[in-house]
Amino acid sequence: KDFFDFLATQKDDQEYWLAPGSNKRVYKKGNFTAKAKKAKNRCEDAIKKDGNESARLLWKRIFGRQFPNKEVVEKSFSEPVFKDTEEFIEDRFPISIKGSLSINCRVAQDGFRPALLRNLPILKSKYSLEFFIESTSIEEPFEVYWKVLNIGSEAEKRNMVRGQIVKDEGRAVRKETSTFKGEHIVDAYIVKNGFVVARDTIPVNIDEF
């Protein structure tokens, strides 16, 4: 967390850094402060959620797919009670991040004014959700892929972990419904010339009041 915090506070106009010992110039390849800030925030969220399954998924998004699965450790001597259907974008396309991507979600329910998900820390069930690309530095044309992952005991009990990667139909929008209590994660990927060039994640926390 402290390392990402250090990276996030570097000046955007700084072009190079001096390597310790040799003083050799190390030039940067594009601005990274925004990505570092996002990674720092994920670290803070994972620390707060320590012990929860969502913490593992946050760490996995920082360290990569090889970060160990909690289920592998705890369920290695018993049959799984749900199908682990999560797919990984790395298995379909090589990763070569070239730009930024920010997604958001319009939340609507009958009788209520629509709002943006990032302004709502917790949702009730039975809301209509419309995920969309808020901004990206990648120039068109490109393809968009989505992944909706359900986390926790309720998703496992219903056998609705999901996590499949689905190609967008061309409108850069993904419609869902807040069906049941728990933590959910929505990923978006921009693929251009056969490479994942930008990605973003938004958490969806659903509670029952």
Side-chain angles (χ1 to χ4, degrees):
K1 178 182 72 67
D2 292 340
F3 174 65
F4 285 124
D5 186 44
F6 166 77
L7 293 179
T9 56
Q10 299 301 297
K11 296 180 179 179
D12 285 338
D13 59 354
Q14 187 167 345
E15 297 181 354
Y16 64 87
W17 288 260
L18 298 178
S22 65
N23 282 336
K24 182 179 179 180
R25 291 187 178 185
V26 179
Y27 290 87
K28 71 176 181 182
K29 297 180 180 179
N31 291 328
F32 53 78
T33 53
K35 296 177 183 178
K37 184 177 180 180
K38 183 180 294 186
K40 185 201 74 168
N41 292 337
R42 286 180 180 171
C43 288
E44 292 176 342
D45 289 342
I47 292 171
K48 292 177 183 177
K49 296 176 183 294
D50 185 31
N52 295 336
E53 176 61 8
S54 56
R56 176 190 67 81
L57 293 170
L58 287 167
W59 288 124
K60 183 181 286 288
R61 277 159 174 73
I62 295 169
F63 290 106
R65 182 179 175 182
Q66 292 183 341
F67 191 83
N69 290 333
K70 180 180 178 183
E71 292 86 356
V72 172
V73 176
E74 293 189 351
K75 299 181 181 180
S76 57
F77 298 105
S78 63
E79 291 295 325
V81 295
F82 65 95
K83 292 182 180 180
D84 187 358
T85 53
E86 183 178 6
E87 298 177 348
F88 298 91
I89 196 68
E90 294 87 349
D91 294 336
R92 299 182 62 172
F93 303 99
I95 308 298
S96 180
I97 302 300
K98 300 294 185 182
S100 62
L101 170 64
S102 178
I103 61 174
N104 210 327
C105 176
R106 299 182 186 93
V107 180
Q109 190 180 50
D110 292 342
F112 293 88
R113 179 179 299 178
L116 293 178
L117 178 61
R118 292 194 185 275
N119 300 329
L120 302 172
I122 298 178
L123 293 180
K124 294 181 181 180
S125 60
K126 299 181 181 178
Y127 272 80
S128 296
L129 308 178
E130 185 180 74
F131 298 90
F132 63 96
I133 293 179
E134 194 169 50
S135 64
T136 180
S137 62
I138 304 299
E139 295 184 0
E140 295 191 50
F142 53 71
E143 297 175 332
V144 178
Y145 288 79
W146 299 93
K147 179 167 82 169
V148 179
L149 180 66
N150 300 328
I151 308 166
S153 58
E154 188 67 20
E156 295 175 6
K157 183 173 67 175
R158 295 179 181 224
N159 197 18
M160 292 182 62
V161 173
R162 299 179 63 184
Q164 295 91 345
I165 295 173
V166 179
K167 185 177 180 181
D168 187 83
E169 296 178 352
R171 298 187 301 114
V173 170
R174 177 74 181 181
K175 293 185 177 181
E176 294 284 337
T177 301
S178 56
T179 306
F180 56 87
K181 179 180 179 179
E183 296 184 79
H184 316 262
I185 290 179
V186 176
D187 288 341
Y189 313 95
I190 290 182
V191 176
K192 188 178 180 71
N193 298 325
F195 289 85
V196 177
V197 294
R199 63 193 301 173
D200 193 26
T201 299
I202 187 170
V204 182
N205 298 318
I206 301 173
D207 203 350
E208 296 175 354
F209 296 91

